[in-house]
Amino acid sequence: MSEYNEETLNEDVELYIPHPFGVKPKGNFYFDSFNKDFVDSRKLGLGLFSVFEDNFIIDSILDLLSAEELTKTINLVSKAFYIYVQEEEQWKMRSINKFSDGEFKYQHSWQYTYKSNCDKSFSIEPIPIQVKYFYSDYLFHIHRCATVDLKQFEHGDSIDRRSNLTFEEFTRDYLIPNKPVIISDACKDWAAKNWTRETLAEKCGDVKLYINAGVFMNVKDFFYYSEHCKEEMPMYLFDHYYGEKVPSLLEDYSADAYFKEDLFNVLADKRPSFRWLLAGPPRSGASFHKDPNHTSAWNAVITGRKKWIMYPPHVVPPGVYPSDDGLEITAPSSIIEWFINFYEKPDNENIEKDSLEQQQKENDKKNTRFKLKDKKVNINQQKQKQNNNNNKNENENDEIETYETVKPLEGILHAGEMIFVPSGWYHSVLNLEESIAITHNFIDSNNLLKVVDFMATKKKKDLYNEFTNKIEQAYPGKLESLRNAEKQKQEEIKRKEEERLKNKKKSIWETTTNDSNNIPTSKSFSFSFGDDLSDDNDN
């Protein structure tokens, strides 16, 4: 212990909570194999099935069996199969598929929830059985994501935070520049600031709201689930018809003080979804995405805290692979997995990592599970596409910015605060604790051209045609005027850049190799190491 000082002991160290069924990462296999009683429980218990990956056994083999076959047969075959049967995500999906109308009560675990709702007399609370010498990076990583302490992500405060902000200041400093800002007192006059899980449940009554897993639940049942669940990817209340279902909720807030224009209103009842009531437990939230149709948005937290990570439109976040047209994004399977594998503390708070910790981080990245719209994908193909695009861009512009050169903006949104989410910005949100929030997407004169141009890239042009026609009817000449202004802006930017390059101080090399018109002369020279060094000797 003498090699550790007090400063070392106070460093942020991730403490792993033991897996409830005794599963360990594969890295423990080697040293455990020297124990006298050692036996490879996985290989012994699976037999010929041991050649398959853990996720394949669960997702592709066990998924073919009924719940009764899993619990009364497979569960008893061996300790290894017992562990696979206990994996919670499969029971969660079985519960959702069977009770998508929300007619179920979450209790203890998803396996218990499924069984108790299928058979009301079922009341056997599960007691985990510890299995010795079972190793699985896949299963342990799921457990790690479900139990990791979120305090390690409470770093960084680089998003501007303002109060007493006037509409003119907001427009000048943030709306027009398309820059994020947290407005700390934006909700001070809202009646919604008094919402709690109890009052919201009372307001909504028996009305069932949409949960992102594809199920509908009343608010009271959802918050019971939120309070008791312990999983990597918790369900998240994400309803965009709450205003129609419970109109009184709309009377409790207004963001007109900062967002006075919404051109999407020209579509009336044909406008796409634009507002959502959000609620969820810790670890829930949103993985990296850009808001639909390149709209801008605001998000206000009523209760709880949300961690925000934001990258400007031209910088793709690490571990994220957008399609060529930007309409789809491949990202880690869960929000918390991205934070574990890719999140880096801000430079001023970084603690120097030893080589072992750095290697662990790299291993985590290699083992990241990816998905595209809830479908698992071949991430190597996605990486190759991005590398090809990066190489192409590098050839066109040597100064291209990536996540390696551009640090993200980040910050924690507290209860009573609102954040402006600019058009086109990548952002991810992690609930650090149970939260309730409201978000609206909008179009104004500052992002109208971006939205219209993005709509034009879609295969289906129905929305594009409808929206542009309605805009022209409501605001004749607006689009043309904005395009002319944008053209003039770009020409001015180009002129200033040419002026900057013209006035740039020449290097000694340029003064000796360029003529008065800055054109390279023919009097240049080259050198080599001799004819005997050929490409065959390159190592």
Side-chain angles (χ1 to χ4, degrees):
M1 178 62 78
S2 58
E3 60 182 299
Y4 297 99
N5 55 36
E6 184 176 354
E7 181 179 353
T8 303
L9 292 175
N10 287 332
E11 291 180 354
D12 290 341
V13 178
E14 182 179 343
L15 300 177
Y16 294 102
I17 297 176
H19 193 284
F21 300 104
V23 177
K24 293 182 179 180
K26 288 182 179 179
N28 292 267
F29 183 98
Y30 177 76
F31 290 105
D32 285 354
S33 66
F34 291 102
N35 295 340
K36 292 182 179 181
D37 63 339
F38 176 79
V39 60
D40 187 344
S41 296
R42 184 182 186 279
K43 186 174 182 179
L44 179 66
L46 295 181
L48 295 177
F49 286 96
S50 63
V51 299
F52 296 117
E53 296 290 338
D54 297 324
N55 61 305
F56 179 81
I57 293 175
I58 295 171
D59 298 339
S60 301
I61 298 178
L62 299 190
D63 187 57
L64 300 174
L65 304 176
S66 67
E68 185 176 7
E69 290 170 330
L70 287 180
T71 55
K72 293 186 177 181
T73 304
I74 302 301
N75 198 42
L76 305 177
V77 171
S78 67
K79 295 178 180 178
F81 274 113
Y82 163 78
I83 286 179
Y84 289 131
V85 170
Q86 310 313 311
E87 199 276 323
E88 275 282 89
E89 188 65 21
Q90 63 184 323
W91 289 104
K92 176 180 179 180
M93 296 312 300
R94 287 176 185 269
S95 298
I96 290 173
N97 292 335
K98 191 172 183 64
F99 308 108
S100 59
D101 59 357
E103 293 297 331
F104 72 93
K105 303 287 185 182
Y106 178 86
Q107 297 183 67
H108 301 300
S109 68
W110 280 109
Q111 183 176 174
Y112 184 92
T113 296
Y114 181 88
K115 294 177 179 178
S116 62
N117 282 275
C118 288
D119 180 1
K120 301 300 181 182
S121 64
F122 182 84
S123 61
I124 303 174
E125 295 185 21
I127 300 176
I129 298 176
Q130 290 282 312
V131 176
K132 200 172 184 180
Y133 301 136
F134 187 98
Y135 307 92
S136 169
D137 288 341
Y138 176 76
L139 293 178
F140 189 84
H141 187 61
I142 293 175
H143 166 71
R144 178 191 178 194
C145 289
T147 58
V148 66
D149 189 351
L150 301 184
K151 289 183 179 179
Q152 63 182 291
F153 307 125
E154 297 181 0
H155 298 270
D157 190 21
S158 52
I159 300 175
D160 282 1
R161 190 178 294 272
R162 300 284 298 274
S163 61
N164 299 317
L165 190 65
T166 66
F167 172 74
E168 290 73 23
E169 290 172 333
F170 169 70
T171 301
R172 180 194 66 211
D173 298 341
Y174 302 103
L175 195 60
I176 294 177
N178 207 44
K179 179 182 176 182
V181 61
I182 293 174
I183 307 174
S184 60
D185 55 356
C187 311
K188 62 181 180 180
D189 298 323
W190 289 10
K193 70 180 181 180
N194 297 316
W195 289 357
T196 63
R197 51 160 51 199
E198 292 79 17
T199 60
L200 191 59
E202 183 179 353
K203 280 177 173 287
C204 296
D206 293 329
V207 173
K208 292 182 179 179
L209 301 180
Y210 179 76
I211 313 301
N212 68 333
V215 65
F216 290 84
M217 299 175 68
N218 66 54
V219 174
K220 182 179 179 180
D221 288 345
F222 174 77
F223 277 125
Y224 182 86
Y225 157 80
S226 175
E227 181 180 1
H228 295 89
C229 73
K230 294 180 181 179
E231 55 191 279
E232 176 190 2
M233 295 180 279
M235 296 196 302
Y236 193 44
L237 193 156
F238 191 75
D239 193 285
H240 62 271
Y241 288 124
Y242 69 97
E244 290 75 17
K245 296 175 181 177
V246 190
S248 63
L249 295 178
L250 300 179
E251 301 171 2
D252 288 351
Y253 67 92
S254 172
D256 291 346
Y258 296 107
F259 307 99
K260 301 180 182 295
E261 185 181 36
D262 188 356
L263 299 176
F264 241 158
N265 284 332
V266 299
L267 293 179
D269 59 349
K270 293 183 179 180
R271 72 177 294 172
S273 301
F274 69 100
R275 64 186 176 209
W276 290 265
L277 175 65
L278 315 172
R283 292 180 175 77
S284 62
S287 57
F288 272 107
H289 66 285
K290 293 183 176 183
D291 281 333
N293 296 309
H294 273 229
T295 55
S296 299
W298 58 262
N299 185 297
V301 173
I302 307 301
T303 66
R305 295 180 302 146
K306 291 176 176 287
K307 169 75 175 186
W308 284 73
I309 304 286
M310 309 182 77
Y311 283 89
H314 64 288
V315 179
V316 179
V320 174
Y321 303 91
S323 60
D324 294 336
D325 56 11
L327 295 177
E328 296 181 327
I329 290 180
T330 301
S333 294
S334 68
I335 306 166
I336 196 66
E337 182 163 29
W338 185 90
F339 272 88
I340 288 176
N341 293 356
F342 296 97
Y343 176 70
E344 298 287 348
K345 294 179 182 177
D347 289 339
N348 62 339
E349 297 184 42
N350 261 332
I351 297 171
E352 185 176 353
K353 301 180 179 70
D354 59 31
S355 58
L356 185 61
E357 188 176 352
Q358 289 282 19
Q359 184 61 50
Q360 178 62 47
K361 193 78 172 179
E362 291 306 312
N363 290 339
D364 287 340
K365 291 180 181 179
K366 293 177 182 178
N367 293 325
T368 301
R369 300 156 296 157
F370 291 87
K371 69 176 181 179
L372 170 62
K373 286 188 175 180
D374 298 324
K375 295 181 180 179
K376 294 180 180 178
V377 297
N378 186 334
I379 195 58
N380 291 327
Q381 294 178 359
Q382 300 290 329
K383 288 181 178 179
Q384 187 59 48
K385 283 184 179 180
Q386 191 175 81
N387 290 336
N388 292 340
N389 290 335
N390 288 342
N391 292 336
K392 179 180 178 181
N393 290 332
E394 286 173 2
N395 293 332
E396 296 174 352
N397 181 6
D398 292 337
E399 298 181 357
I400 184 173
E401 294 181 322
T402 69
Y403 66 81
E404 295 178 334
T405 59
V406 176
K407 297 298 181 183
L409 296 183
E410 55 185 300
I412 296 177
L413 198 62
H414 300 266
E417 297 182 333
M418 174 190 290
I419 187 171
F420 166 57
V421 186
S423 170
W425 279 64
Y426 286 101
H427 54 283
S428 179
V429 187
L430 173 67
N431 284 326
L432 298 174
E433 56 194 58
E434 184 182 84
S435 73
I436 301 172
I438 305 166
T439 186
H440 280 219
N441 289 65
F442 65 91
I443 301 174
D444 64 5
S445 298
N446 298 289
N447 65 359
L448 178 58
L449 290 183
K450 297 176 184 177
V451 172
V452 169
D453 291 343
F454 180 78
M455 288 180 179
T457 65
K458 293 186 175 182
K459 293 181 180 179
K460 292 185 178 181
K461 297 293 190 294
D462 296 352
L463 181 60
Y464 169 78
N465 294 331
E466 180 78 10
F467 182 62
T468 52
N469 288 337
K470 291 291 186 181
I471 284 290
E472 189 59 33
Q473 293 174 16
Y475 307 96
K478 187 176 185 69
L479 283 172
E480 182 180 2
S481 176
L482 288 173
R483 289 201 184 281
N484 290 335
E486 180 64 20
K487 182 179 179 180
Q488 293 177 8
K489 178 182 176 182
Q490 294 304 320
E491 289 175 349
E492 180 65 15
I493 292 175
K494 182 179 179 180
R495 185 191 66 77
K496 289 183 177 180
E497 179 64 14
E498 290 175 347
E499 187 72 20
R500 184 186 69 83
L501 293 175
K502 183 178 179 179
N503 296 329
K504 180 181 178 182
K505 184 177 180 181
K506 294 182 180 180
S507 66
I508 296 177
W509 175 260
E510 290 175 323
T511 59
T512 59
T513 59
N514 292 4
D515 61 18
S516 59
N517 294 319
N518 206 35
I519 300 176
T521 67
S522 59
K523 297 178 181 180
S524 58
F525 66 92
S526 62
F527 60 89
S528 69
F529 293 103
D531 296 335
D532 57 322
L533 295 179
S534 65
D535 290 341
D536 294 337
N537 293 324
D538 289 343
N539 293 311

